[in-house]
Amino acid sequence: MERIVVGVDGSPNSRAALAYAVEEATRRDARVDAVMAWHRPYASGGDVWMPTMNFDIESIEQGYRSQLEKIIAHANIPDSVVVEPILVEGTSSHSLLSAAKGADLLVVGKRGHGGFLGLLLGSVSHQVAAHAPCPVVIVPPAPHGER
């Protein structure tokens, strides 16, 4: 069975990427690994970035896990497609590139949360396109009204 990895961050573009990955999985009889990256909060101390000590890391991680599960639950996924939620602590691009090892396809949205609006591609889509160990599909945003 083939394996498709898709980056999910809750943005409209990542939801479009998930929909594309599920549609492609239906055609290929593949499974989908829906990968969401998260990182520990950091505080700036002048020129130094330090992990903050006042956060309940388990609660933060559970919040991301819950968000990922809700995104998958609200996607139109046919019973024939298995979507595995994968939560990874780390940067988005590194997490996706690691998850894509041995995958048949990596799918990302053109832009996710964050970044600079003037860029043609987001930093994550640019990084995975340049360094992925498998073919990459970068899904453009859905036209207005189709989200």
Side-chain angles (χ1 to χ4, degrees), residues 3-17:
R3 184 170 67 91
I4 298 171
V5 173
V6 60
V8 178
D9 68 3
S11 68
N13 285 342
S14 80
R15 291 174 195 269

Side-chain angles (χ1 to χ4, degrees), residues 36-144:
M36 176 180 273
W38 73 282
H39 56 85
R40 295 171 187 263
Y42 282 81
S44 175
D47 292 338
V48 179
W49 284 86
M50 304 176 311
T52 58
M53 303 299 172
N54 298 331
F55 291 99
D56 179 357
I57 298 302
E58 289 179 16
S59 293
I60 293 170
E61 182 177 7
Q62 184 53 43
Y64 280 105
R65 186 173 311 286
S66 176
Q67 180 185 8
L68 177 57
E69 290 169 357
K70 284 180 188 175
I71 291 165
I72 293 169
H74 287 96
N76 291 327
I77 301 172
D79 292 338
S80 61
V81 176
V82 173
V83 177
E84 182 72 30
I86 299 176
L87 187 65
V88 180
E89 183 179 359
T91 65
S92 298
S93 54
H94 183 267
S95 298
L96 288 168
L97 290 170
S98 292
K101 290 177 183 166
D104 297 287
L105 185 66
L106 174 58
V107 181
V108 293
K110 184 176 177 183
R111 299 201 49 74
H113 286 306
F116 300 96
L117 294 177
L119 296 175
L120 294 176
L121 285 177
S123 59
V124 172
S125 57
H126 185 268
Q127 286 294 314
V128 300
H131 301 287
C134 62
V136 176
V137 172
I138 299 173
V139 179
H144 293 290

